[in-house]
């Protein structure tokens, strides 16, 4: 199901990534050892929306992101992401969904240390069959790394590594970019350069959902979701999402 947006402005392309979660629950372990990670989550993401998810440690933020991204299935509830019904999908079919619709950015970049910046992005194109090898250099240029194509991750700063990771996530042209603490390992200035890239990709029409502990970042979101004990505690809308330049922490 595609969801249209009523609130996005200034976008440069088709609005993408609209999603709907209903009654989502998930526990890890079983019996006495069971831990409830999600407990009846209802959430809509508008197409083209930038959503920030806040909440204390253990409140279910990463689990929510993992279910949205098809990394793991929910135990119950319905999951429709970027127009695809994932309800009840088995892991192999979740993999196909991830490949076709989702980009991931993680706190610690998760680059392959033995591959150069260019190769880290190319490998995604090769593994997924999406995107074009010939466009990889241009993509790295667009994140400010045109002169670092042949550097290995260890030869790059944290911010540069995260920009490689963003280029890698965008190489498959995902509908929805899911970012788990993307600035968590970076200093403020570097973190802001990463946020600028995420805001830019959102302004191109792509859905972006970012999990963070940093409440200051919430100002750039269209909507801010706060989780507690596996539930959505509140959803607030920013009337005018801030430009990254105006955010500090
Ligand atoms: N693979 C797992 N096995 C067992 N329990 C898990 C697993 N992953 C998460 N949990 C538990 O599920 C609950 C929610 O975890 P989750 O990682 O989603 O929270 P979070 O809000 O992202 O936390 P943090 O901010 O610390 O990253 C926690 O109680 C956590 O311990």
């Amino acid at each position: 199901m595609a969801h249209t947006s009523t609130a996005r402005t200034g976008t440069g392309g088709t609005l993408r990534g609209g999603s709907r979660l209903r009654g989502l629950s998930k526990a890890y372990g079983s019996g006495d050892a069971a831990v409830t990670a999600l407990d009846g989550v209802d959430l809509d993401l508008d197409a083209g929306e930038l959503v920030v998810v806040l909440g204390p440690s253990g409140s279910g933020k990463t689990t929510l992101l993992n279910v949205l991204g098809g990394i793991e299935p929910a135990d119950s509830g319905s999951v429709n992401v970027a127009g695809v019904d994932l309800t009840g999908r088995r892991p192999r079919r979740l993999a196909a969904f991830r490949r076709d619709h989702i980009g991931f950015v993680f706190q610690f970049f998760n680059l392959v240390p033995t591959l150069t910046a260019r190769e880290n992005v190319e490998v995604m194109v090769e593994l997924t069959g999406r995107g074009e090898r010939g466009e990889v250099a241009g993509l790295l240029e667009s994140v400010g790394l045109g002169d670092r194509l042949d550097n290995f991750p260890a030869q790059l700063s944290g911010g540069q590594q995260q920009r490689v990771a963003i280029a890698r996530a965008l190489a498959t042209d995902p509908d929805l970019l899911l970012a788990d603490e993307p600035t968590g390992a970076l200093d403020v200035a570097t973190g802001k350069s990463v946020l600028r890239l995420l805001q830019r990709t959102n302004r191109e029409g792509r859905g972006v959902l970012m999990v963070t502990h940093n409440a200051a970042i919430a100002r750039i979101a269209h909507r801010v979701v706060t989780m507690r004990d596996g539930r959505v505690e509140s959803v607030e809308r920013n009337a005018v999402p801030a430009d990254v330049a105006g955010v500090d922490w």
Side-chain angles (χ1 to χ4, degrees), residues 28-29 35-38 55-64 72 180-181 211 213:
Y28 293 102
V35 176
T36 301
L38 296 176
S57 186
S59 57
K61 304 182 297 297
T62 296
T63 306
L64 175 69
E72 47 189 1
D180 200 350
E181 294 279 4
V211 164
H213 281 104

Side-chain angles (χ1 to χ4, degrees), residues 39 47 49 95 104 129 140 144-145 149 176 227 231 247:
D39 186 12
E49 191 172 33
F104 293 98
L140 282 162
L145 294 174
L149 301 180
L176 183 62
M227 296 197 62
R231 296 168 181 265
V247 174

Side-chain angles (χ1 to χ4, degrees), residues 127-184:
L127 285 175
T128 61
R130 291 182 58 88
E132 299 290 337
R133 272 182 74 121
E135 290 175 5
V136 167
L139 196 52
L140 282 162
E141 255 167 52
S142 78
V143 298
L145 294 174
D147 57 347
R148 297 299 189 133
L149 301 180
D150 298 318
N151 283 147
F152 291 93
Q155 298 169 319
L156 299 171
S157 70
Q160 289 168 337
Q161 289 184 59
Q162 194 61 302
R163 284 188 273 152
V164 175
I166 291 172
R168 179 182 59 183
L170 295 178
T172 58
D173 190 22
D175 294 316
L176 183 62
L177 191 70
L178 299 173
D180 200 350
E181 294 279 4
T183 63

Side-chain angles (χ1 to χ4, degrees), residues 63-218:
T63 306
L64 175 69
L65 183 144
N66 287 346
V67 172
L68 265 170
I71 288 182
E72 47 189 1
D75 294 340
S76 58
S78 66
V79 186
N80 186 302
V81 181
V84 181
D85 188 2
L86 301 182
T87 311
R89 269 211 191 187
R90 302 221 168 265
R92 197 164 59 82
R93 290 193 60 223
L94 286 177
F97 159 79
R98 285 199 302 273
R99 181 194 64 211
D100 291 341
H101 296 281
I102 305 292
F104 293 98
V105 175
F106 303 98
Q107 179 172 3
F108 296 109
F109 328 132
N110 296 11
L111 300 179
V112 180
T114 52
L115 300 181
T116 64
R118 185 206 304 262
E119 289 165 346
N120 262 283
V121 181
E122 282 175 350
V123 83
M124 185 61 93
V125 172
E126 276 161 28
L127 285 175
T128 61
R130 291 182 58 88
E132 299 290 337
R133 272 182 74 121
E135 290 175 5
V136 167
L139 196 52
L140 282 162
E141 255 167 52
S142 78
V143 298
L145 294 174
D147 57 347
R148 297 299 189 133
L149 301 180
D150 298 318
N151 283 147
F152 291 93
Q155 298 169 319
L156 299 171
S157 70
Q160 289 168 337
Q161 289 184 59
Q162 194 61 302
R163 284 188 273 152
V164 175
I166 291 172
R168 179 182 59 183
L170 295 178
T172 58
D173 190 22
D175 294 316
L176 183 62
L177 191 70
L178 299 173
D180 200 350
E181 294 279 4
T183 63
L186 305 174
D187 63 43
V188 178
T190 312
K192 285 174 75 169
S193 76
V194 163
L195 287 183
R196 266 196 293 279
L197 288 175
L198 296 179
Q199 191 169 57
R200 183 177 83 190
T201 192
N202 171 252
R203 285 175 174 168
E204 289 165 358
R206 201 170 267 125
V208 174
L209 181 134
M210 186 180 350
V211 164
T212 179
H213 281 104
N214 185 347
I217 291 176

Side-chain angles (χ1 to χ4, degrees), residues 9-58:
T9 55
T11 50
T14 312
L15 301 181
R16 302 160 68 185
S19 303
R20 178 184 291 258
L21 309 176
R22 285 292 177 274
L24 209 64
S25 292
K26 182 167 186 69
Y28 293 102
S30 57
D32 288 349
V35 176
T36 301
L38 296 176
D39 186 12
V41 168
D42 296 330
L43 186 65
D44 287 346
L45 308 179
D46 287 341
E49 191 172 33
L50 196 164
V51 172
V52 162
V53 181
L54 300 173
S57 186

